[in-house]
Amino acid sequence: MATIHVDGKQYEVNGSENLLQACLSLGIDIPYFCWHPSLGSVGSCRQCAVTQYANPEDTRGRLVMSCMTPASDNTYISIEDKEAVDFRASIVELLMTNHPHDCPVCEEGGHCHLQDMTVMTGHDRRRYRFTKRTHHNQELGSFIAHEMNRCIACYRCVRYYKDYAGGTDFGVYANASRVYFGRPESGTLESEFSGNLTEVCPTGVFTDKTHSERYNRKWDMQYAPSVCHGCSSGCNISPGERYGEIRRVENRFNGDVNQYFLCDKGRFGTGYVNRADRPRQPQLRANDNVSTLSTDDALDQVIATIKAKKVLGIGSPRASLESNFALRELVGKENYSTGMSQKTQSLVELAADIMQTQGIYNPSMREIESYDAVLILGEDLTQTAPRMALSVRQSAKNKAKQMAAERKTQDWLAEPVQRIAQHAKSPVYILAATQTRLSDIAAAEVVASPNDIARLGFAVAAALQDQPITGLDDDAKAFAETMANSLKTAKKPLIISGTSLQDPAIMEAAASVAQALGEKAGLSLTVPEVNSMGLALFGGQSLEQALAQDYDALIIVENDLFRQLPEAQVKAALNKADSVIVLDHSETATVKAADYVLSAASFAEADGTVVSQEGRAQRFYQVYDPSYYKPEYVIKESWRWLHAIETGLKSKDISWTVLDHVVESVVKNVPQLEAIADVAPNADYRIHGLKIAREPRRYSGRTAMIAPLNVHEPKQPVDTDSALTFSMEGYVGPQKASSLIPFAWAPGWNSPQSWNKYQDQVGGHLKGGDSGIRLFDRLAKRPARSYVAPNAVVANPDAFRLVPMHHIFASGEFTVKTPAMQSRIPEAMFAVGEHDAARMNLQDGQRITVKAGDSIVNLPIQVIEYLPTGYIGYPVGLAPTISLAEPVAVSVEAQAVGV
């Protein structure tokens, strides 16, 4: 700690910070542009100037940039000194010289850090009356719009894109005073994290193009605290709604998880909620004939259909714990399925079992950034857990920070740290089935078959324990020993693996390496869906186990079975049932095969709890009530539909009227999920007697919004499920529980930089702790166990195996339904290595047919530089679901595609 003196007042601060960060953490405002908590200091904008004095007697002082000055003990500064005030005013006026001053038409208006800082410095007059510098804008793809004339040259964008996110197609180009930030030429930004430019940029240079199509100001959106459903990482988001549509998704700060950044899948992949073809009313389906039903008619008919019949309930890893529990209560434990295939469920259960093992530590996403050696087994993280990949990229910089510390250089001094390191990185080793997007930071990347990855992982574990390595050639043994030595000498080694390649031996190898390293090591395992880990703890039968039973009816909750099992298997299961009832929020192949469809709520219209791959239970909340805008819409959480059916079948009163009642039942009946009661405050939570406002103070135009219905403003819906209110009449500010922060706003801070008012210290954690409860920290540990390395798979040149290939945008169930994603989704193609392509005389674009069991898939091929011999890459999500377990038959079409 250090004592600093600011304008005559004494404060205790963290002495390792700079003065700007220290003052902001104290709640003292200093304007700034180029500094960002995650990017460090470069001192390029000069906006954060303060006057520093040598001692209490010094009355002259000198101007210093607070972002470049350490918060040393006995530092004396003044923010209000006239020289500092005048200097900051002159700087912002200089930065605004060429700015178009187009706030009324700028999409960043009301959400703009430049506006906030201009007001903070008192700059409100333009004196420059000459021709302004102008630039041509670039086309940057379907996510980001570009308006270069608004740039103030703070350099944040290029520092984030290149230095933080590792992008290579974006930079700064200069000719005298004409500094330009963009690509070498127009074209789609290639980074999977490009969307963060919209929040990193302090002006309106980079804006959300998906929001542009249906634009409204920030203060005219309604928000709710939510969790991204794109993968299992559990990133926190603030979805914004207007007119019953999700208009924009912003990052919601969580100091343990995503911090300031999201991947593009999470930020732009929610357009499916607004699709016109989704079921918004209960439906009766007969072949291609679809008729809508009222709520009462739908419930009466469904109850009559399944009464006195054997009903099988199929849950879903993308549905909340509450909805899965309601389904299990309806059909009984013996008739409930998790909705995962046997293969997937066994993999996820293995991951959960490993995470509960004695001596295994599962770090948070933020903690991953602190590890100084990383081994990734079998995961292409950028495609399967992208936000974790961004954290791994930061961990590679720990070598630079260590080298800087040895030279007494603070790690927040971005440029000096880079110069000292000279591209030195902490070791990152990647063993994957294809080349990954993290190869640029890898000390070594090996492309191998899943079997070879597992065997190499077990060899590393053996080397760590000074045991002989068997079954590998000399080069592989030497490489295993090299990786083992790097992990052994590291202060904090990390192992990452997961379910992506569908081989349990890979995760077992990762667990063996972590156990061999001991307590200093961390282990992180990825799983497929937002609530896969939750269902592994919840329990239930796999799809194959459940469908093997006799049953009369199927109730399927938020699950497209055609994505879980081969088509023939699913059709046989559906035909076996007399009636099929599906609850879902999107038009899927399973919905099309249903007899009854109950219109379930998406994440934007529902409340519920999910558990991330880290084991962090978090709650997401309803953003808006669809029936407020269109009373004919009947969209309800799945658990409400299911409880209504159960009470009707059993002729009992409805006992779950609010979400808290369901949570209480889950806690009472599922001991391993007992901690979810502490995930968020219950619906009675109040601050100064007020619920939490979903809307900013300036929310406007509600009467006009429903003018076609009634010129009088109807009463707002009453949210009984949470402590949130559908109104701006409620508490707005930083005092609320972290799990209930719908959006970030503070007086004078309208931009995403306002998160500093909600944090215990800037860039740290939220006041009162970050959102979520880590379940594995509370569950009893299981005894450590040993794992056996698999035998080598003998390559057969006449037989092929399929290896899953994931794509960040194409493999998700709902990103492919999002309009903005369409241009980013590649064509469905098999991948074939150059060796096999030459052996079979195959060319790019030529079609092959793969037969696995009863499934036949015909696709063109893409020849890639390397894929293990005898393996074909299968595009997960772009092609029909087939079994990947056994060798497949491959036939080649006679004609080749001309080039």
Side-chain angles (χ1 to χ4, degrees):
M1 298 297 289
T3 300
I4 65 171
H5 304 264
V6 183
D7 289 311
K9 295 181 181 179
Q10 180 176 308
Y11 301 95
E12 292 292 322
V13 300
N14 184 344
S16 65
E17 296 175 347
N18 58 56
L19 283 172
L20 174 60
Q21 187 169 4
C23 289
L24 291 173
S25 297
L26 292 169
I28 301 171
D29 291 344
I30 300 177
Y32 63 92
F33 287 116
C34 65
W35 180 80
H36 186 283
S38 294
L39 304 180
S41 304
V42 291
S44 67
C45 73
R46 325 304 289 173
Q47 187 61 69
C48 64
V50 298
T51 302
Q52 183 178 15
Y53 301 97
N55 51 54
E57 289 74 37
D58 182 7
T59 58
R60 184 175 180 180
R62 64 191 180 98
L63 286 177
V64 298
M65 302 307 119
S66 58
C67 75
M68 299 295 288
T69 308
S72 306
D73 199 29
N74 289 324
T75 297
Y76 293 82
I77 63 170
S78 173
I79 300 170
E80 299 172 359
D81 177 67
K82 187 177 187 307
E83 184 181 12
V85 170
D86 290 346
F87 181 83
R88 293 196 298 266
S90 68
I91 289 296
V92 77
E93 185 176 20
L94 176 65
L95 294 175
M96 294 289 284
T97 299
N98 287 297
H99 192 281
H101 294 80
D102 59 344
C103 299
V105 298
C106 177
E107 294 186 13
E108 198 75 358
H111 189 229
C112 177
H113 185 62
L114 177 60
Q115 286 180 330
D116 292 346
M117 298 301 98
T118 303
V119 172
M120 192 177 292
T121 55
H123 175 60
D124 60 1
R125 295 289 185 277
R126 269 187 291 172
R127 293 188 292 170
Y128 183 75
R129 292 292 181 266
F130 305 100
T131 302
K132 290 180 180 283
R133 176 199 63 216
T134 58
H135 295 284
H136 291 291
N137 301 321
Q138 289 184 322
E139 171 58 42
L140 299 178
S142 60
F143 296 159
I144 306 292
H146 189 225
E147 178 50 74
M148 186 58 209
N149 292 323
R150 298 174 183 145
C151 182
I152 59 170
C154 71
Y155 286 83
R156 264 202 205 176
C157 59
V158 69
R159 291 175 58 221
Y160 161 74
Y161 196 92
K162 294 182 69 175
D163 298 342
Y164 192 91
T168 58
D169 62 322
F170 181 95
V172 54
Y173 309 95
N175 179 5
S177 63
R178 298 178 63 82
V179 180
Y180 192 91
F181 296 86
R183 300 183 83 251
E185 59 184 8
S186 289
T188 300
L189 288 168
E190 295 171 3
S191 173
E192 293 84 357
F193 308 97
S194 64
N196 293 306
L197 289 172
T198 64
E199 293 186 20
V200 167
C201 176
T203 73
V205 176
F206 302 100
T207 54
D208 185 337
K209 189 179 285 188
T210 66
H211 186 205
S212 304
E213 298 168 4
R214 303 279 286 168
Y215 181 74
N216 54 271
R217 295 297 186 192
K218 175 181 179 177
W219 63 76
D220 277 337
M221 281 192 283
Q222 181 167 253
Y223 300 87
S226 193
V227 178
C228 176
H229 282 46
C231 72
S232 64
S233 295
C235 295
N236 288 197
I237 58 173
S238 288
E241 169 269 345
R242 180 76 164 173
Y243 291 107
E245 296 177 338
I246 293 296
R247 293 290 178 84
R248 181 175 183 175
V249 170
E250 297 176 58
N251 182 73
R252 187 165 68 98
F253 185 88
N254 186 314
D256 274 342
V257 189
N258 47 293
Q259 300 177 75
Y260 291 98
F261 305 119
L262 297 172
C263 75
D264 288 354
K265 181 180 183 179
R267 187 180 293 274
F268 301 115
T270 59
Y272 65 90
V273 174
N274 302 330
R275 286 181 67 104
D277 62 355
R278 58 172 291 199
R280 289 184 168 89
Q281 294 168 294
Q283 298 174 348
L284 172 63
R285 291 181 174 237
N287 298 320
D288 294 330
N289 299 318
V290 180
S291 57
T292 59
L293 301 171
S294 68
T295 303
D296 289 340
D297 285 345
L299 289 172
D300 289 344
Q301 291 188 36
V302 168
I303 290 169
T305 298
I306 65 175
K307 195 161 191 172
K309 291 184 178 179
K310 172 73 177 294
V311 182
L312 189 64
I314 297 176
S316 171
R318 63 172 165 90
S320 68
L321 290 174
E322 291 82 0
S323 293
N324 278 283
F325 179 76
L327 177 62
R328 197 178 80 173
E329 288 293 284
L330 170 61
V331 301
K333 281 187 179 182
E334 66 282 0
N335 297 320
Y336 166 77
S337 167
T338 62
M340 294 185 278
S341 68
Q342 179 66 55
K343 183 72 172 179
T344 301
Q345 181 161 327
S346 64
L347 289 166
V348 176
E349 287 175 345
L350 174 62
D353 182 62
I354 290 172
M355 287 297 101
Q356 296 174 75
T357 300
Q358 189 72 38
I360 294 291
Y361 178 69
N362 181 23
S364 68
M365 201 105 70
R366 183 179 191 138
E367 286 179 287
I368 287 174
E369 298 183 5
S370 67
Y371 284 84
D372 58 351
V374 180
L375 171 61
I376 302 174
L377 291 173
E379 289 294 314
D380 185 354
L381 284 181
T382 310
Q383 313 305 323
T384 59
R387 185 57 187 81
M388 187 186 293
L390 197 58
S391 292
V392 170
R393 190 171 285 279
Q394 309 322 306
S395 73
K397 300 173 183 175
N398 286 319
K399 178 66 174 177
K401 294 178 181 178
Q402 176 191 339
M403 294 171 67
E406 291 170 355
R407 291 159 178 79
K408 303 295 189 291
T409 302
Q410 299 278 13
D411 61 10
W412 45 262
L413 287 166
E415 293 295 333
V417 171
Q418 284 188 355
R419 287 197 299 270
I420 290 169
Q422 291 294 306
H423 307 295
K425 294 182 177 65
S426 298
V428 176
Y429 296 100
I430 304 173
L431 311 182
T434 57
Q435 187 175 13
T436 74
R437 297 276 283 182
L438 290 176
S439 59
D440 61 304
I441 63 165
E445 182 178 66
V446 171
V447 176
S449 69
N451 176 259
D452 287 340
I453 291 171
R455 292 168 59 233
L456 198 50
F458 275 107
V460 173
L464 287 167
Q465 300 172 83
D466 296 323
Q467 295 176 355
I469 299 175
T470 59
L472 298 180
D473 59 31
D474 291 341
D475 288 345
K477 287 180 183 178
F479 182 52
E481 290 169 351
T482 298
M483 291 188 288
N485 288 333
S486 293
L487 295 170
K488 187 182 294 186
T489 57
K491 293 179 180 178
K492 289 184 67 177
L494 174 67
I495 316 303
I496 297 175
S497 187
T499 63
S500 297
L501 294 184
Q502 300 189 17
D503 190 336
I506 296 177
M507 286 194 291
E508 292 175 349
S512 297
V513 174
Q515 289 179 169
L517 287 166
E519 294 183 358
K520 69 174 184 177
L523 175 65
S524 188
L525 301 176
T526 69
V527 293
E529 300 274 5
V530 62
N531 204 21
S532 294
M533 194 62 82
L535 287 199
L537 296 173
F538 183 68
Q541 301 178 68
S542 69
L543 274 175
E544 290 92 333
Q545 289 172 322
L547 296 174
Q549 302 179 36
D550 292 326
Y551 51 86
D552 302 311
L554 283 173
I555 297 181
I556 304 168
V557 176
E558 299 179 43
N559 200 335
D560 184 2
L561 300 190
F562 290 92
R563 290 182 62 90
Q564 308 293 340
L565 296 174
E567 181 180 355
Q569 199 170 344
V570 174
K571 286 184 174 180
L574 296 177
N575 292 335
K576 186 176 167 182
D578 297 331
S579 53
V580 176
I581 299 101
V582 176
L583 292 76
D584 215 332
H585 52 70
S586 293
E587 184 86 352
T588 68
T590 303
V591 165
K592 292 177 181 178
D595 299 307
Y596 291 95
V597 177
L598 300 182
S599 42
S602 70
F603 79 95
E605 302 131 349
D607 309 282
T609 309
V610 291
V611 182
S612 72
Q613 54 85 19
E614 177 196 341
R616 182 181 295 268
Q618 299 183 98
R619 193 146 304 148
F620 60 93
Y621 289 97
Q622 183 180 16
V623 185
Y624 64 100
D625 182 352
S627 63
Y628 177 82
Y629 303 98
K630 295 194 175 180
E632 68 271 20
Y633 285 174
V634 181
I635 296 176
K636 302 178 184 296
E637 293 102 326
S638 293
W639 63 262
R640 290 191 190 275
W641 283 116
L642 294 166
H643 186 60
I645 294 170
E646 182 197 0
T647 54
L649 276 175
K650 299 177 181 177
S651 301
K652 65 178 186 179
D653 293 334
I654 289 179
S655 56
W656 295 345
T657 56
V658 296
L659 180 70
D660 289 341
H661 296 158
V662 197
V663 173
E664 290 168 5
S665 295
V666 174
V667 168
K668 182 179 178 181
N669 292 280
V670 189
Q672 57 270 36
L673 296 176
E674 184 178 1
I676 71 167
D678 301 327
V679 165
N682 60 28
D684 296 330
Y685 179 83
R686 299 290 186 276
I687 298 177
H688 309 309
L690 300 173
K691 297 188 84 173
I692 310 302
R694 281 181 170 89
E695 301 165 2
R697 290 284 189 229
R698 293 179 288 172
Y699 195 96
S700 62
R702 186 175 294 284
T703 302
M705 288 163 62
I706 46 83
L709 308 178
N710 192 328
V711 294
H712 302 288
E713 183 173 351
K715 181 182 178 182
Q716 284 294 295
V718 176
D719 186 1
T720 58
D721 289 318
S722 74
L724 299 160
T725 176
F726 292 107
S727 172
M728 60 182 171
E729 297 172 359
Y731 177 79
V732 175
Q735 294 184 30
K736 61 181 77 71
S738 60
S739 56
L740 292 176
I741 300 174
F743 56 89
W745 175 88
W749 296 83
N750 297 285
S751 78
Q753 305 302 307
S754 54
W755 280 111
N756 72 68
K757 297 297 182 182
Y758 292 75
Q759 296 163 348
D760 53 7
Q761 62 180 32
V762 175
H765 299 270
L766 293 174
K767 295 176 180 177
D770 295 306
S771 177
I773 297 293
R774 282 169 54 95
L775 300 183
F776 293 134
D777 291 348
R778 298 196 178 191
L779 295 173
K781 293 295 184 181
R782 300 172 181 174
R785 60 192 180 95
S786 59
Y787 303 95
V788 179
N791 295 323
V793 173
V794 179
N796 182 353
D798 298 323
F800 284 87
R801 291 179 179 270
L802 299 180
V803 60
M805 296 188 71
H806 299 264
H807 188 279
I808 180 174
F809 303 130
S811 297
E813 181 172 357
F814 296 114
T815 47
V816 294
K817 295 177 179 287
T818 297
M821 291 287 178
Q822 298 308 306
S823 63
R824 302 299 299 273
I825 296 173
E827 181 185 356
M829 304 181 82
F830 289 121
V832 179
E834 287 182 349
H835 180 270
D836 280 332
R839 181 169 61 87
M840 299 177 68
N841 195 26
L842 294 174
Q843 302 174 28
D844 270 330
Q846 190 169 352
R847 302 185 74 90
I848 63 173
T849 299
V850 168
K851 182 176 182 182
D854 295 329
S855 302
I856 299 176
V857 180
N858 180 272
L859 293 174
I861 67 161
Q862 178 186 16
V863 179
I864 62 177
E865 182 178 358
Y866 184 75
L867 200 65
T869 302
Y871 282 83
I872 293 176
Y874 190 81
V876 174
L878 288 176
T881 303
I882 62 177
S883 173
L884 306 180
E886 300 300 328
V888 297
V890 177
S891 58
V892 181
E893 291 193 4
Q895 74 278 10
V897 177
V899 179

